[in-house]
Amino acid sequence: QVQVVESGGGLVQAGGSLILSCAASGRTFSTYAMGWFRQVPGKEREFVAAISRSSISTYYAVSLKGRFTISRDNAKNTVYLQMNSLKPEDTALYYCAADLGSDNNLRDAKVYDYWGQGTQVTVSS
C-alpha cells in the first residue's frame, strides 16, 4: 500500500506563486512515477504534470507549460509542483498520484494506482 499526501495549497492572488508538495510512502519512492492532476466541481479531472521515476522525463499540460514545473526528490520521497504566474482559472483541487507500473502514458489518470486526497488552490483576481 502506498500513501500519498499533498500539501501546500492555499489562497493566493493572481500573479502569485505556490509550491505544492506530495509525500508518498509505503514503497521505495523511486519505483513509481508521479503525477499532478486538478479538478473543479462539475468538470473532469485534468492532467497538470508528471515526472518519471528517475526525473529524466517530465510532462506538462500544453496550456500550463512555462508556468508550472514538476520536480522530485527521491531522497525525501517527495514530488513538487512549482506554480508561477497563477491565474484565477488555476483554482482547483490539486491531486497527486503514484504510478507503480511504468513511465508510459503518464498524462492518463487511469494509469495511476494511488491518489492523495487533494489540496485546494484558490487564486483570487
Side-chain angles (χ1 to χ4, degrees):
Q1 190 76 10
V2 174
Q3 291 77 43
V4 178
V5 179
E6 307 95 336
S7 61
L11 175 63
V12 63
Q13 287 189 331
S17 298
L18 276 177
I19 300 176
L20 304 184
S21 299
C22 172
S25 61
R27 289 182 57 160
T28 303
F29 185 69
S30 60
T31 63
Y32 32 88
M34 300 296 296
W36 286 98
F37 291 77
R38 67 186 185 184
Q39 190 170 22
V40 297
K43 292 189 176 182
E44 292 188 357
R45 195 165 296 189
E46 175 189 24
F47 169 74
V48 174
I51 189 166
S52 63
R53 287 158 177 70
S54 60
S55 304
I56 289 177
S57 299
T58 56
Y59 308 89
Y60 296 93
V62 173
S63 61
L64 301 177
K65 193 171 185 178
R67 294 195 297 123
F68 288 17
T69 303
I70 189 171
S71 62
R72 67 189 294 162
D73 186 338
N74 287 347
K76 295 183 178 180
N77 294 350
T78 302
V79 62
Y80 305 95
L81 184 68
Q82 171 75 51
M83 305 186 294
N84 297 328
S85 302
L86 284 163
K87 305 175 182 180
E89 51 264 42
D90 293 320
T91 296
L93 188 61
Y94 282 71
Y95 294 93
C96 179
D99 170 22
L100 306 184
S102 71
D103 288 336
N104 299 323
N105 302 318
L106 293 180
R107 297 174 185 271
D108 187 351
K110 292 189 284 292
V111 308
Y112 292 87
D113 303 285
Y114 296 97
W115 293 81
Q117 294 299 306
T119 185
Q120 178 68 37
V121 172
T122 303
V123 184
S124 63
S125 57

